[in-house]
Amino acid sequence: MSRATDLARTSLPRGVASFFPEAAEHKRAVEERLWSIFSSWGYREIVPPVFEYLDVLAQGLDQSTVEGGYKVEDRDSGRLMVLRPDVTAQVARMAAARRDDPARPHRYGYIAGVFSHSEAHRGRPREVFQAGVELLGPAGYSADVEVLALLITALRGLGLEHFSIAIGQARFFRAILEGLELSPEAQEHLTAAVARKDAPSIRTQLAAAGIDAERAEQVARIPFLIGGKEVFAAARELTRCADALGALEHLHSVMEALDGCGLGEHLLADLGEVRDLDYYTGVVFDVLVPDMGMELGGGGRYDDLLGGFGHPMPAIGFALDVERVLEALHRCGAAPRDSGPVYTITGQLADAHRAAARLRAMGLTAVAALKSDAGGPDILHAEGDQLFRVGTGGKRTPLDPATLAGSGKPAGQGG
Amino acid sequence: MTAITIALSKGKLLEETLPLFRAVGLYHEGLDDPGRRLLFENPDGDRFLVVRAADVPAYVEHGGADLGVAGRDVLAEYPDALYEPVDLGVGYCRMAVATRQGFSLDDRPGTRLRVATKYPAVAEAHFLSKGVTVEIIKLYGSMELAPLVGMADCIVDLVSTGRTLKENGLVELETIWESTARLVVNRASMKVKHARLAPLLEALQQAAQAALKSGKGR
């Protein structure tokens, strides 16, 4: 059969990937490391279904996510179902379904793939592996601090050093926007221009709306409020709106608290990021590393999300893109370690299996040899309870298993 | 200082852009006559890429470059993924609708207008805003031919002087927009390299304004 025919028989749709063991082990190592940190902070695993009703989940999704979702028809009811496009909406739906007590904190974590359409040839996958957490219940700043502290701890725990958390406050721009008293359409256009940091268009739009030049200039500066603590002083000069100033105070106190925890070095104030304004209601943040050009993940506070499912309750969370995190780790030389050797044991099958079991009990990786196993440096021989190393020419020397190389730890645990 | 990479458009736009970058201290002498070289690196690590105009957004979006220079014609066809903070005032262009002499768009007997263009997103948005249903035919060059051979009712294309249109017997019906090139910035670089980029953006903006005032902008 020709190679071309073979390729057709094993082809994949664009934007999904097959993970062979080397890549899969790295992916799992990152996920396990993240998971061990999430769970040590009291976040418990939640497993949402891979598809659910579109109209139900859409109550917690923005329009573009709904449009980008992959839909299938439910053969029972004829209703449309969507392949998981976003885990946060599912967690919100689940918490609302169970009527989780809003007066108490609920800590949920997940590792799951999300699916959404991406335009062809834009270099974006259609299946993204995410690891994330949601903290439902408390609305106060201490919950914001907890989730951000967990995020920074998790990234450090992976071995990343030079990362930034660019952190803003959705209420800051929203308050200023409301103060401008524009028509809904003008608001939408202005928000889009601010999101693009399109200062010329911001000035033109505000002039057309009859806003005086000085005020317009202040608004045109908002997208560029990025940096250290000095940003807060600059931001305070741009507004007298109490809500906006309150938002600044809140963000400042969150950053101060993280500083106090020894986690401040990664923080970057970013009051100019205004995407998803309908979704985020408080702090909003992105994880960035130098020279990657794309965020590794992000999150924020979305206190109105659960209300969409009929069970109002504050919430904050984040999600990391596992593949991008892996890429960042590779780039900074902190990739998970490859797994240790697989010891392959020859000899009587029962002897070999018993020896392999002993090695596994020591944390090593071992199998009884199969006929087709090739020779190699990790071939051992078992005879009764005695293990032998097999040298060149088949020369056997008795071996104490305690001297065997290989940490026996799964990839990544040592890094 | 953090090193940065800048994606510049080949050709005329490069010539017009260089003085601005030079004014803010971003320069490599090889750029005056790049020839076939695509990458120029300074001892301080700053790099200049010379790429096709339409490729600038992709380089910047995917982090191949921190900054780039792109016309609105290019950005309009690229989904919002970039920051575009500074109008550089160079690379003036006009997007227009044109058709063959003596043809009125109202003459079109069918229900939809056939539009040939290299800019489908621009064309679609323009006619949508006028409530006209269109059928877009994407072409990559010499669009002027399409109405002449009856393949399309009109074209949407960039016009600089209008000479090509005239020489091919086409008339300009309306201007969709006029624009000059933008400095575009990668979303992550804007933040991670903020300390380097913030003063640079400010300086570029001032250089662009100064050039406009002295009449060199167009």
PDB file of all heavy atoms in Angstrom, chain A residues 295-324:
ATOM      1  N   GLU A 295      -0.010  34.474  26.465  1.00  0.00           N
ATOM      2  CA  GLU A 295      -0.146  34.222  27.888  1.00  0.00           C
ATOM      3  C   GLU A 295      -0.199  32.713  28.147  1.00  0.00           C
ATOM      4  O   GLU A 295      -0.660  31.946  27.313  1.00  0.00           O
ATOM      5  CB  GLU A 295      -1.375  34.935  28.461  1.00  0.00           C
ATOM      6  CG  GLU A 295      -2.717  34.476  27.941  1.00  0.00           C
ATOM      7  CD  GLU A 295      -3.105  35.121  26.628  1.00  0.00           C
ATOM      8  OE1 GLU A 295      -2.276  35.836  26.040  1.00  0.00           O
ATOM      9  OE2 GLU A 295      -4.221  34.861  26.169  1.00  0.00           O
ATOM     10  N   LEU A 296       0.305  32.300  29.307  1.00  0.00           N
ATOM     11  CA  LEU A 296       0.259  30.880  29.684  1.00  0.00           C
ATOM     12  C   LEU A 296      -1.084  30.524  30.292  1.00  0.00           C
ATOM     13  O   LEU A 296      -1.412  29.355  30.455  1.00  0.00           O
ATOM     14  CB  LEU A 296       1.351  30.551  30.705  1.00  0.00           C
ATOM     15  CG  LEU A 296       2.789  30.873  30.336  1.00  0.00           C
ATOM     16  CD1 LEU A 296       3.738  30.289  31.373  1.00  0.00           C
ATOM     17  CD2 LEU A 296       3.126  30.325  28.962  1.00  0.00           C
ATOM     18  N   GLY A 297      -1.822  31.547  30.654  1.00  0.00           N
ATOM     19  CA  GLY A 297      -3.112  31.319  31.277  1.00  0.00           C
ATOM     20  C   GLY A 297      -3.570  32.606  31.907  1.00  0.00           C
ATOM     21  O   GLY A 297      -2.941  33.656  31.722  1.00  0.00           O
ATOM     22  N   GLY A 298      -4.642  32.520  32.643  1.00  0.00           N
ATOM     23  CA  GLY A 298      -5.138  33.731  33.268  1.00  0.00           C
ATOM     24  C   GLY A 298      -6.425  33.441  34.004  1.00  0.00           C
ATOM     25  O   GLY A 298      -6.889  32.293  34.055  1.00  0.00           O
ATOM     26  N   GLY A 299      -6.990  34.498  34.547  1.00  0.00           N
ATOM     27  CA  GLY A 299      -8.234  34.306  35.270  1.00  0.00           C
ATOM     28  C   GLY A 299      -8.714  35.611  35.854  1.00  0.00           C
ATOM     29  O   GLY A 299      -8.276  36.683  35.434  1.00  0.00           O
ATOM     30  N   GLY A 300      -9.579  35.499  36.834  1.00  0.00           N
ATOM     31  CA  GLY A 300     -10.105  36.702  37.452  1.00  0.00           C
ATOM     32  C   GLY A 300     -11.348  36.395  38.260  1.00  0.00           C
ATOM     33  O   GLY A 300     -11.710  35.228  38.449  1.00  0.00           O
ATOM     34  N   ARG A 301     -11.982  37.486  38.710  1.00  0.00           N
ATOM     35  CA  ARG A 301     -13.189  37.345  39.519  1.00  0.00           C
ATOM     36  C   ARG A 301     -14.413  37.548  38.641  1.00  0.00           C
ATOM     37  O   ARG A 301     -14.446  38.474  37.828  1.00  0.00           O
ATOM     38  CB  ARG A 301     -13.149  38.372  40.663  1.00  0.00           C
ATOM     39  CG  ARG A 301     -14.390  38.405  41.502  1.00  0.00           C
ATOM     40  CD  ARG A 301     -14.208  39.131  42.819  1.00  0.00           C
ATOM     41  NE  ARG A 301     -13.454  38.338  43.796  1.00  0.00           N
ATOM     42  CZ  ARG A 301     -13.938  37.270  44.439  1.00  0.00           C
ATOM     43  NH1 ARG A 301     -15.167  36.849  44.195  1.00  0.00           N
ATOM     44  NH2 ARG A 301     -13.201  36.629  45.314  1.00  0.00           N
ATOM     45  N   TYR A 302     -15.364  36.629  38.766  1.00  0.00           N
ATOM     46  CA  TYR A 302     -16.597  36.728  37.978  1.00  0.00           C
ATOM     47  C   TYR A 302     -17.785  36.482  38.891  1.00  0.00           C
ATOM     48  O   TYR A 302     -18.332  35.384  38.930  1.00  0.00           O
ATOM     49  CB  TYR A 302     -16.604  35.743  36.801  1.00  0.00           C
ATOM     50  CG  TYR A 302     -15.616  34.608  36.918  1.00  0.00           C
ATOM     51  CD1 TYR A 302     -15.925  33.488  37.670  1.00  0.00           C
ATOM     52  CD2 TYR A 302     -14.374  34.686  36.292  1.00  0.00           C
ATOM     53  CE1 TYR A 302     -15.013  32.454  37.791  1.00  0.00           C
ATOM     54  CE2 TYR A 302     -13.462  33.665  36.411  1.00  0.00           C
ATOM     55  CZ  TYR A 302     -13.790  32.540  37.160  1.00  0.00           C
ATOM     56  OH  TYR A 302     -12.891  31.523  37.289  1.00  0.00           O
ATOM     57  N   ASP A 303     -18.159  37.522  39.635  1.00  0.00           N
ATOM     58  CA  ASP A 303     -19.182  37.364  40.665  1.00  0.00           C
ATOM     59  C   ASP A 303     -20.579  37.197  40.084  1.00  0.00           C
ATOM     60  O   ASP A 303     -21.487  36.761  40.788  1.00  0.00           O
ATOM     61  CB  ASP A 303     -19.151  38.558  41.624  1.00  0.00           C
ATOM     62  CG  ASP A 303     -17.944  38.499  42.549  1.00  0.00           C
ATOM     63  OD1 ASP A 303     -17.305  37.422  42.615  1.00  0.00           O
ATOM     64  OD2 ASP A 303     -17.641  39.510  43.201  1.00  0.00           O
ATOM     65  N   ASP A 304     -20.775  37.548  38.808  1.00  0.00           N
ATOM     66  CA  ASP A 304     -22.118  37.448  38.228  1.00  0.00           C
ATOM     67  C   ASP A 304     -22.357  36.131  37.501  1.00  0.00           C
ATOM     68  O   ASP A 304     -23.460  35.866  37.041  1.00  0.00           O
ATOM     69  CB  ASP A 304     -22.356  38.599  37.238  1.00  0.00           C
ATOM     70  CG  ASP A 304     -22.288  39.959  37.926  1.00  0.00           C
ATOM     71  OD1 ASP A 304     -22.527  39.991  39.155  1.00  0.00           O
ATOM     72  OD2 ASP A 304     -21.995  40.947  37.250  1.00  0.00           O
ATOM     73  N   LEU A 305     -21.320  35.309  37.402  1.00  0.00           N
ATOM     74  CA  LEU A 305     -21.428  34.104  36.574  1.00  0.00           C
ATOM     75  C   LEU A 305     -22.463  33.125  37.111  1.00  0.00           C
ATOM     76  O   LEU A 305     -23.320  32.638  36.369  1.00  0.00           O
ATOM     77  CB  LEU A 305     -20.058  33.429  36.474  1.00  0.00           C
ATOM     78  CG  LEU A 305     -20.002  32.137  35.676  1.00  0.00           C
ATOM     79  CD1 LEU A 305     -20.395  32.379  34.222  1.00  0.00           C
ATOM     80  CD2 LEU A 305     -18.610  31.522  35.732  1.00  0.00           C
ATOM     81  N   LEU A 306     -22.401  32.832  38.403  1.00  0.00           N
ATOM     82  CA  LEU A 306     -23.321  31.818  38.942  1.00  0.00           C
ATOM     83  C   LEU A 306     -24.762  32.289  38.923  1.00  0.00           C
ATOM     84  O   LEU A 306     -25.684  31.481  38.827  1.00  0.00           O
ATOM     85  CB  LEU A 306     -22.906  31.367  40.351  1.00  0.00           C
ATOM     86  CG  LEU A 306     -21.906  30.215  40.318  1.00  0.00           C
ATOM     87  CD1 LEU A 306     -20.489  30.729  40.344  1.00  0.00           C
ATOM     88  CD2 LEU A 306     -22.160  29.229  41.427  1.00  0.00           C
ATOM     89  N   GLY A 307     -24.959  33.614  39.008  1.00  0.00           N
ATOM     90  CA  GLY A 307     -26.308  34.162  38.914  1.00  0.00           C
ATOM     91  C   GLY A 307     -26.971  33.770  37.605  1.00  0.00           C
ATOM     92  O   GLY A 307     -28.187  33.559  37.554  1.00  0.00           O
ATOM     93  N   GLY A 308     -26.174  33.638  36.557  1.00  0.00           N
ATOM     94  CA  GLY A 308     -26.690  33.227  35.260  1.00  0.00           C
ATOM     95  C   GLY A 308     -27.305  31.843  35.304  1.00  0.00           C
ATOM     96  O   GLY A 308     -28.154  31.502  34.479  1.00  0.00           O
ATOM     97  N   PHE A 309     -26.897  31.035  36.273  1.00  0.00           N
ATOM     98  CA  PHE A 309     -27.450  29.687  36.433  1.00  0.00           C
ATOM     99  C   PHE A 309     -28.479  29.649  37.562  1.00  0.00           C
ATOM    100  O   PHE A 309     -28.831  28.576  38.060  1.00  0.00           O
ATOM    101  CB  PHE A 309     -26.327  28.687  36.717  1.00  0.00           C
ATOM    102  CG  PHE A 309     -25.372  28.526  35.556  1.00  0.00           C
ATOM    103  CD1 PHE A 309     -24.139  29.165  35.563  1.00  0.00           C
ATOM    104  CD2 PHE A 309     -25.718  27.763  34.460  1.00  0.00           C
ATOM    105  CE1 PHE A 309     -23.265  29.026  34.494  1.00  0.00           C
ATOM    106  CE2 PHE A 309     -24.843  27.618  33.383  1.00  0.00           C
ATOM    107  CZ  PHE A 309     -23.624  28.255  33.399  1.00  0.00           C
ATOM    108  N   GLY A 310     -28.915  30.831  38.010  1.00  0.00           N
ATOM    109  CA  GLY A 310     -29.978  30.899  39.010  1.00  0.00           C
ATOM    110  C   GLY A 310     -29.530  30.702  40.437  1.00  0.00           C
ATOM    111  O   GLY A 310     -30.354  30.460  41.327  1.00  0.00           O
ATOM    112  N   HIS A 311     -28.240  30.798  40.684  1.00  0.00           N
ATOM    113  CA  HIS A 311     -27.755  30.593  42.053  1.00  0.00           C
ATOM    114  C   HIS A 311     -26.608  31.573  42.316  1.00  0.00           C
ATOM    115  O   HIS A 311     -25.436  31.192  42.300  1.00  0.00           O
ATOM    116  CB  HIS A 311     -27.276  29.142  42.217  1.00  0.00           C
ATOM    117  CG  HIS A 311     -26.880  28.793  43.629  1.00  0.00           C
ATOM    118  ND1 HIS A 311     -27.760  28.827  44.677  1.00  0.00           N
ATOM    119  CD2 HIS A 311     -25.695  28.379  44.145  1.00  0.00           C
ATOM    120  CE1 HIS A 311     -27.130  28.453  45.789  1.00  0.00           C
ATOM    121  NE2 HIS A 311     -25.878  28.183  45.487  1.00  0.00           N
ATOM    122  N   PRO A 312     -26.959  32.860  42.569  1.00  0.00           N
ATOM    123  CA  PRO A 312     -25.917  33.889  42.680  1.00  0.00           C
ATOM    124  C   PRO A 312     -24.894  33.554  43.770  1.00  0.00           C
ATOM    125  O   PRO A 312     -25.268  33.131  44.861  1.00  0.00           O
ATOM    126  CB  PRO A 312     -26.696  35.152  43.049  1.00  0.00           C
ATOM    127  CG  PRO A 312     -28.091  34.894  42.610  1.00  0.00           C
ATOM    128  CD  PRO A 312     -28.302  33.409  42.759  1.00  0.00           C
ATOM    129  N   MET A 313     -23.643  33.739  43.417  1.00  0.00           N
ATOM    130  CA  MET A 313     -22.567  33.410  44.343  1.00  0.00           C
ATOM    131  C   MET A 313     -21.261  33.945  43.761  1.00  0.00           C
ATOM    132  O   MET A 313     -20.968  33.730  42.583  1.00  0.00           O
ATOM    133  CB  MET A 313     -22.514  31.886  44.444  1.00  0.00           C
ATOM    134  CG  MET A 313     -21.447  31.302  45.291  1.00  0.00           C
ATOM    135  SD  MET A 313     -22.093  29.647  45.690  1.00  0.00           S
ATOM    136  CE  MET A 313     -20.728  28.714  45.939  1.00  0.00           C
ATOM    137  N   PRO A 314     -20.469  34.657  44.567  1.00  0.00           N
ATOM    138  CA  PRO A 314     -19.206  35.186  44.055  1.00  0.00           C
ATOM    139  C   PRO A 314     -18.247  34.057  43.676  1.00  0.00           C
ATOM    140  O   PRO A 314     -18.336  32.952  44.223  1.00  0.00           O
ATOM    141  CB  PRO A 314     -18.640  35.977  45.240  1.00  0.00           C
ATOM    142  CG  PRO A 314     -19.812  36.246  46.123  1.00  0.00           C
ATOM    143  CD  PRO A 314     -20.733  35.077  45.950  1.00  0.00           C
ATOM    144  N   ALA A 315     -17.339  34.333  42.768  1.00  0.00           N
ATOM    145  CA  ALA A 315     -16.395  33.307  42.325  1.00  0.00           C
ATOM    146  C   ALA A 315     -15.156  33.939  41.726  1.00  0.00           C
ATOM    147  O   ALA A 315     -15.213  35.017  41.136  1.00  0.00           O
ATOM    148  CB  ALA A 315     -17.050  32.395  41.286  1.00  0.00           C
ATOM    149  N   ILE A 316     -14.047  33.248  41.904  1.00  0.00           N
ATOM    150  CA  ILE A 316     -12.792  33.667  41.269  1.00  0.00           C
ATOM    151  C   ILE A 316     -12.028  32.404  40.896  1.00  0.00           C
ATOM    152  O   ILE A 316     -12.162  31.375  41.572  1.00  0.00           O
ATOM    153  CB  ILE A 316     -11.956  34.582  42.205  1.00  0.00           C
ATOM    154  CG1 ILE A 316     -10.613  34.924  41.554  1.00  0.00           C
ATOM    155  CG2 ILE A 316     -11.754  33.966  43.592  1.00  0.00           C
ATOM    156  CD1 ILE A 316      -9.811  35.994  42.294  1.00  0.00           C
ATOM    157  N   GLY A 317     -11.247  32.471  39.842  1.00  0.00           N
ATOM    158  CA  GLY A 317     -10.476  31.290  39.457  1.00  0.00           C
ATOM    159  C   GLY A 317      -9.464  31.620  38.386  1.00  0.00           C
ATOM    160  O   GLY A 317      -9.354  32.758  37.942  1.00  0.00           O
ATOM    161  N   PHE A 318      -8.706  30.600  38.019  1.00  0.00           N
ATOM    162  CA  PHE A 318      -7.781  30.757  36.906  1.00  0.00           C
ATOM    163  C   PHE A 318      -7.627  29.430  36.182  1.00  0.00           C
ATOM    164  O   PHE A 318      -7.982  28.376  36.714  1.00  0.00           O
ATOM    165  CB  PHE A 318      -6.395  31.259  37.377  1.00  0.00           C
ATOM    166  CG  PHE A 318      -5.618  30.290  38.237  1.00  0.00           C
ATOM    167  CD1 PHE A 318      -4.978  29.185  37.676  1.00  0.00           C
ATOM    168  CD2 PHE A 318      -5.512  30.495  39.604  1.00  0.00           C
ATOM    169  CE1 PHE A 318      -4.247  28.302  38.460  1.00  0.00           C
ATOM    170  CE2 PHE A 318      -4.793  29.610  40.404  1.00  0.00           C
ATOM    171  CZ  PHE A 318      -4.158  28.507  39.825  1.00  0.00           C
ATOM    172  N   ALA A 319      -7.114  29.488  34.982  1.00  0.00           N
ATOM    173  CA  ALA A 319      -6.802  28.281  34.219  1.00  0.00           C
ATOM    174  C   ALA A 319      -5.453  28.475  33.549  1.00  0.00           C
ATOM    175  O   ALA A 319      -5.128  29.574  33.089  1.00  0.00           O
ATOM    176  CB  ALA A 319      -7.875  28.023  33.172  1.00  0.00           C
ATOM    177  N   LEU A 320      -4.660  27.424  33.521  1.00  0.00           N
ATOM    178  CA  LEU A 320      -3.382  27.441  32.821  1.00  0.00           C
ATOM    179  C   LEU A 320      -3.475  26.533  31.608  1.00  0.00           C
ATOM    180  O   LEU A 320      -4.112  25.481  31.663  1.00  0.00           O
ATOM    181  CB  LEU A 320      -2.262  26.939  33.742  1.00  0.00           C
ATOM    182  CG  LEU A 320      -1.907  27.854  34.908  1.00  0.00           C
ATOM    183  CD1 LEU A 320      -0.995  27.133  35.899  1.00  0.00           C
ATOM    184  CD2 LEU A 320      -1.234  29.125  34.401  1.00  0.00           C
ATOM    185  N   ASP A 321      -2.845  26.948  30.524  1.00  0.00           N
ATOM    186  CA  ASP A 321      -2.774  26.139  29.308  1.00  0.00           C
ATOM    187  C   ASP A 321      -1.557  25.219  29.461  1.00  0.00           C
ATOM    188  O   ASP A 321      -0.417  25.679  29.421  1.00  0.00           O
ATOM    189  CB  ASP A 321      -2.630  27.082  28.112  1.00  0.00           C
ATOM    190  CG  ASP A 321      -2.530  26.346  26.783  1.00  0.00           C
ATOM    191  OD1 ASP A 321      -1.950  25.237  26.747  1.00  0.00           O
ATOM    192  OD2 ASP A 321      -3.007  26.900  25.779  1.00  0.00           O
ATOM    193  N   VAL A 322      -1.812  23.927  29.667  1.00  0.00           N
ATOM    194  CA  VAL A 322      -0.737  22.994  30.023  1.00  0.00           C
ATOM    195  C   VAL A 322       0.339  22.931  28.935  1.00  0.00           C
ATOM    196  O   VAL A 322       1.529  22.895  29.229  1.00  0.00           O
ATOM    197  CB  VAL A 322      -1.318  21.593  30.307  1.00  0.00           C
ATOM    198  CG1 VAL A 322      -0.203  20.574  30.511  1.00  0.00           C
ATOM    199  CG2 VAL A 322      -2.223  21.640  31.532  1.00  0.00           C
ATOM    200  N   GLU A 323      -0.069  22.951  27.669  1.00  0.00           N
ATOM    201  CA  GLU A 323       0.939  22.867  26.600  1.00  0.00           C
ATOM    202  C   GLU A 323       1.815  24.111  26.536  1.00  0.00           C
ATOM    203  O   GLU A 323       3.012  24.017  26.299  1.00  0.00           O
ATOM    204  CB  GLU A 323       0.268  22.637  25.243  1.00  0.00           C
ATOM    205  CG  GLU A 323      -0.164  21.201  25.043  1.00  0.00           C
ATOM    206  CD  GLU A 323      -0.646  20.970  23.620  1.00  0.00           C
ATOM    207  OE1 GLU A 323      -1.846  21.191  23.367  1.00  0.00           O
ATOM    208  OE2 GLU A 323       0.177  20.592  22.779  1.00  0.00           O
ATOM    209  N   ARG A 324       1.204  25.275  26.762  1.00  0.00           N
ATOM    210  CA  ARG A 324       2.014  26.498  26.752  1.00  0.00           C
ATOM    211  C   ARG A 324       2.946  26.529  27.961  1.00  0.00           C
ATOM    212  O   ARG A 324       4.083  26.997  27.870  1.00  0.00           O
ATOM    213  CB  ARG A 324       1.120  27.736  26.747  1.00  0.00           C
ATOM    214  CG  ARG A 324       0.452  27.959  25.407  1.00  0.00           C
ATOM    215  CD  ARG A 324      -0.184  29.327  25.354  1.00  0.00           C
ATOM    216  NE  ARG A 324      -0.990  29.488  24.165  1.00  0.00           N
ATOM    217  CZ  ARG A 324      -1.819  30.505  23.974  1.00  0.00           C
ATOM    218  NH1 ARG A 324      -1.962  31.435  24.914  1.00  0.00           N
ATOM    219  NH2 ARG A 324      -2.516  30.585  22.866  1.00  0.00           N
TER     220      ARG A 324
END
